[in-house]
Amino acid sequence: MDPTYGYTIDTLLAVQPPVAPADFAEYWGARYARARAIDPTPVLRPSAQPAPPGTRLYDVEFSTTDGLRLGGWLTLPAEGRIERGLVVSHGYGGRLEPEHVAPVEHAAVLYACARGMGARSLIDDIPSIAERHVLHGIADRDTYVHGGCAADVWCSVSALTELVPAVAGRVAYVGGSFGGGIGALALPWEDRISAACLSIPSFGHHPLRVTMPCTGSGESVRRRVEAHPETMDVLRYFDAATAATMITIPTHVAPALADPAVPPPGQFAIANGLAGEREVFVRATGHMDHPDAPDEAEALRASQRDFLART
């Protein structure tokens, strides 16, 4: 498999997002309104896991749409003031622990697991394996799991601002891969998030994605569309590149030139489509090793930290 899919930086920068369905904003606005009406009733308790350096670590759980309870972790500075809040998502597969180094200092950071994902939000009737999770409820736009995952972002913001009221108005979102794509779907409607970082974001430009075999969850979707072409009618409402055209907050985006799991044209469609101020960090690769990967990862973290310090 050619992880560039034959694209160069010039052709990637020319990829444009698909046109939104006529009722795209109305549909997502209604979903957001329902999520904002949820009382998150967050519960916080000291965690038995080791805290990342310089922080206090808590286990957290809170309510989201569809009567579900999600879990995750909250870190607070061990000393000093709290200057902002962060909602940090994860890749497809969930997370088993909070990150060892927060994207910024002096922050209250909520690491929530999306519905059906490990280790804190496993749900009996939602598959936890990426290749099956990505198909859950896909026959209908009102049951597709990605809509629920976007609602989980909104309810994460509700939980964070209830637990730490001081961060209201200074909440940022950070997500990569699955978290980058779901973040793009959630951000246009969420006025409590003031900035975002999306790295190797997934779920961009489904009309292209379903023509490109890959090693990620998109392969399950591609095969589903081959067997059931009408699935594209649902996917039009869950295209992260389409949603990006409605994101107006400052956004740091890091698409990759080569990626066997998330085809680069979809990533760049999200980056190219952003409607607001954007900062682009072009990665050499995503979801694959290369000799300079550790240095690139550190450079990306530094770029995100600098961006968040300015926004």
Side-chain angles (χ1 to χ4, degrees):
M1 176 184 294
D2 174 8
T4 72
Y5 293 83
Y7 283 75
T8 66
I9 182 62
D10 290 333
T11 54
L12 287 169
L13 291 173
V15 179
Q16 294 302 305
V19 175
D23 62 343
F24 188 82
E26 178 184 2
Y27 172 74
W28 279 102
R31 293 198 74 139
Y32 178 65
R34 292 194 294 271
R36 281 297 299 268
I38 298 293
D39 180 355
T41 57
V43 174
L44 197 65
R45 63 181 66 88
S47 180
Q49 294 179 246
T55 71
R56 290 173 285 141
L57 178 64
Y58 300 89
D59 296 338
V60 63
E61 63 177 57
F62 59 93
S63 294
T64 184
T65 56
D66 302 313
L68 302 178
R69 294 284 286 179
L70 302 182
W73 298 265
L74 177 73
T75 62
L76 299 176
E79 297 180 355
R81 62 195 182 282
I82 297 174
E83 296 181 348
R84 72 180 313 160
L86 292 179
V87 170
V88 180
S89 188
H90 51 72
Y92 228 146
R95 67 165 66 246
L96 301 178
E97 60 185 5
E99 294 175 15
H100 295 294
V101 179
V104 294
E105 297 179 340
H106 308 299
V109 186
L110 178 59
Y111 299 95
C113 296
R115 63 184 62 197
M117 312 224 77
R120 293 290 176 83
S121 298
L122 297 175
I123 295 166
D124 287 343
D125 63 348
I126 300 179
S128 60
I129 299 171
E131 291 77 10
R132 296 173 57 205
H133 186 281
V134 74
L135 298 179
H136 186 69
I138 202 171
D140 189 289
R141 69 177 188 174
D142 293 329
T143 60
Y144 188 33
V145 72
H146 283 185
C149 292
D152 297 342
V153 173
W154 304 325
C155 290
S156 295
V157 178
S158 297
L160 178 60
T161 53
E162 182 169 325
L163 289 168
V164 192
V167 306
R170 288 280 291 165
V171 176
Y173 177 86
V174 178
S177 192
F178 167 88
I182 293 298
L185 290 172
L187 288 171
W189 332 107
E190 180 51 87
D191 58 8
R192 298 171 296 174
I193 292 178
S194 58
C197 294
L198 309 176
S199 180
I200 49 173
S202 193
F203 318 129
H205 211 310
H206 284 300
L208 274 176
R209 280 171 58 86
V210 299
T211 69
M212 297 177 173
C214 68
T215 61
S217 66
E219 182 63 11
S220 294
V221 176
R222 187 185 70 82
R223 293 177 179 178
R224 163 80 188 199
V225 171
E226 277 188 343
H228 301 279
E230 68 278 8
T231 304
M232 287 301 301
D233 294 335
V234 173
L235 291 175
R236 294 178 67 213
Y237 290 89
F238 299 91
D239 198 305
T242 301
T245 66
M246 303 176 190
I247 297 175
T248 57
I249 60 173
T251 303
H252 183 288
V253 59
L257 298 173
D259 191 330
V262 180
Q267 299 183 37
F268 274 84
I270 295 170
N272 299 339
L274 290 166
E277 174 190 340
R278 65 180 174 182
E279 183 170 321
V280 182
F281 180 104
V282 177
R283 298 179 55 162
T285 65
H287 298 94
M288 59 187 291
D289 291 330
H290 68 99
D292 297 325
D295 291 339
E296 182 176 87
E298 181 52 42
L300 173 60
R301 285 190 291 268
S303 181
Q304 291 178 329
R305 283 195 296 269
D306 179 68
F307 172 81
L308 290 170
R310 292 183 280 104
T311 55

